[in-house]
Amino acid sequence: MVCVSDQLDDDHAMTDADGVDAPMRVPANALAKNPVKTPVDAPWGVGRRLSVTIPIAVILVAILVFVSHATAVTWSNEPSGQTVSTLTSDTDVTFSGTTSSTPKRGTYKVGKTTTTMTVTRSSTGEKEKVRVLIRYPKGASGKRAAMVFMHGAGYGTVDDSYGDVATILASAGFVTAVMDKPVWSTNDITRDYKASAAAYDKVIEYLRTLDNVNPDNVGIYANSESTWISSYLLGLDSRIAFQVLLSPMVSTPRQSIGFLASQNFTLSGANSGYQSVVRRLLRADGELFGLTNFDLDTMNARAYSIPTLVVYGSKDVMTAQVSGVRNILRLAHNAGNWNVTIRSYPVANHVLRLGDESESNTPMVDGYLTDLTSWCVGTSQGLTQTSDRVAGATIYQSIPIPSELKADRPLTIYGTILHVVMLLLLLASLILGLVALGRKIRYMIHHRGPALGYRHGFGGSLLALVVMTVAAMALLGAGLTEVIVKVVKLAWGAAPDESGGIADWSWPVIQVACLLVVLAWSHLITRLIEVAQRRGIVRWPPRKGAIRAVTSGHEPVLATTRLARVLFWLNSAAMFSVMLVFAFWGLFLY
């Protein structure tokens, strides 16, 4: 947006020290024709201006504070320090009945073959071709157990996903399949989980047709986001034999993201005020915009009714592990399944790797691949597990899952209207400001004097307010950006940054800036009232001819040109809408 100001117009009206019209000196013999101004026409004193400015400021702040309170979203995120104690720190997985001939990692050489298939998104009929990379144990006789790998968030392919894990399981006698992640025309927010489940099931059905695969002994390996998909897949396919769930997301996406944001914003050193932004965002009713993934119903007993290995990393800051363990055990037991093994590995991140996942070739945590292979081999062969069911590092969760987090349609509608109005006003202000800037440049080139004719310093005051408001917007954007970057790095396994940086100090600075803007607006409104009163408008009855003199530009309150007056009020409305948006996100509350 652009706000253009200039000096007084061509009549060069004299002003007093406060910028209000001062009485002009006239000859003594002219007093009869030009009577002395009455006290009501005299410039206001400091006390009178304060008596008007302060109530206006209080009213504006009260409106903004009310908006922040009315849109507030609370949930319990006080530190709770929930833990699940493991029976032993030894993560080894053992079974009775194993012999020297029982396969283990490295038993077989691994071969590869690739096929292509078309998967269909049933809700739209959209089709997508995907590759499927199959690894198999060379020289292994008979029909083998198989494993299908399911992708987490992002856009994984057969070239960059599960290469090490799938190869090791194939070397232990499994036929493994990794497919390009089916995404169709969706993105991370609009993923079609039901269609994805059907796509993975198509790979499972393909494996069952292979001569070297036991069709009743095919399992799945799901990681993070794909554990939502696996709950649908288990409902589609009752023949799936076993599953490995790596950092499973057991709660709804809305609640899981709420937990992640609340915990990671704190770990990143961000000011707690920034959580108010995420909280309001997570109360959005996505169905208004065709987004239906926020409240997926994935907590069903069928999803945990088969032999299950649940794996966590102690450095994982994305998953509510204690809540996950409790819910999985409860649902599994409701389904009559007691064959659930839980392992927690120290120092491992969300995908069981060491270090920052943003760096390439980060290794898996020590012991995991061996334990995984042992569990898959023993389970697929129907052996009896002799090792403890819950083992490894103590499972820890810092805060509760925000189970009360639900969609709020009225809040969503209000927020949408507010942001649309703000954007339209900002756009209109920008366009009109550019027009005014062009006019000012032309007037300067041709030495035609003031282009807009702002009076009493209103143009300069408006420009200063616009600059302050835009600076606050930029600072809020910079703070949010830094918070998001830090949260992503934490999710990848990076160590928390002890220095909060701009994500810490920007919030209170923006709050101070907003209060200064409100005070400045209050002063500006007071000046408008003062000038209007001196022009004879803010009286009862109005001074004869005063309204016509102001509207015609003969005795202007704001400016001599209509363009300047429209620009002033348009910018004023835009800046106030920005303040309302700030209030919506909690700037006047936290």
Side-chain angles (χ1 to χ4, degrees), residues 47 163 170 347 362 379 456 487 584:
V347 195
T362 52
T379 301
H456 319 302
V487 168
F584 175 84

Side-chain angles (χ1 to χ4, degrees), residues 200-215:
Y200 286 113
D201 198 42
K202 187 170 184 177
V203 177
I204 293 173
E205 291 295 343
Y206 173 76
L207 288 181
R208 287 173 175 154
T209 65
L210 300 180
D211 293 338
N212 60 342
V213 171
N214 180 350

Side-chain angles (χ1 to χ4, degrees), residues 71-75 77 189 228 249 252-265 274-287 289 291 293-296 318 399-409 411-412 487 584-585:
T71 60
V73 176
T74 59
W75 66 60
N77 66 343
I189 299 177
W228 287 322
M249 311 294 277
T252 68
R254 187 188 302 274
Q255 294 169 354
S256 297
I257 296 172
F259 169 84
L260 183 155
S262 186
Q263 175 176 256
N264 288 9
F265 272 41
Y274 281 106
Q275 291 194 27
S276 69
V277 176
V278 179
R279 290 181 179 187
R280 286 161 170 78
L281 187 62
L282 290 176
R283 285 293 295 272
D285 187 349
E287 291 188 2
F289 312 102
L291 305 176
N293 285 345
F294 289 113
D295 299 299
L296 296 175
M318 299 179 65
I399 58 175
I401 280 282
S403 56
E404 66 274 24
L405 192 57
K406 307 291 183 183
D408 188 330
R409 179 157 292 191
L411 180 68
T412 306
V487 168
F584 175 84
W585 293 116

